Amino acid sequence: VDAAQERQRLTKQLADIEKQLAGTEAKLANENFVARAAPVAVQREREKLATLREQREKIQALLVKLV
């Protein structure tokens, strides 16, 4: 695997995850969403947030190894 291509792929993937994280964090920070949405929906968003954070950490670790 070409390290430059892999770094580029991971950087793009990281940017996508960061974008999703920002949206999910904004949704959970919205008091109207948290207050009015079904508890199941709020819990799903919290789980999504945790998953995205884990993915971000893994990708960041892989990028560090590629340097």
Side-chain angles (χ1 to χ4, degrees):
V1 178
D2 182 26
Q5 285 180 333
E6 184 68 7
R7 192 175 309 110
Q8 184 178 13
R9 184 186 72 80
L10 289 172
T11 301
K12 183 178 177 187
Q13 193 175 4
L14 183 61
D16 184 48
I17 288 174
E18 292 285 353
K19 183 177 176 183
Q20 290 180 48
L21 263 171
T24 304
E25 288 172 341
K27 189 181 283 188
L28 288 171
N30 181 340
E31 292 180 21
N32 286 328
F33 171 75
V34 176
R36 295 181 180 178
V40 171
V42 175
Q43 182 60 34
R44 189 175 331 129
E45 290 300 315
R46 288 184 176 139
E47 290 171 0
K48 178 180 173 183
L49 183 66
T51 301
L52 288 169
R53 285 179 175 161
E54 287 175 15
Q55 289 176 350
R56 178 180 62 185
E57 288 176 18
K58 288 178 183 176
I59 292 171
Q60 287 172 335
L62 287 172
L63 283 169
V64 168
K65 289 181 182 178
L66 282 175
V67 173

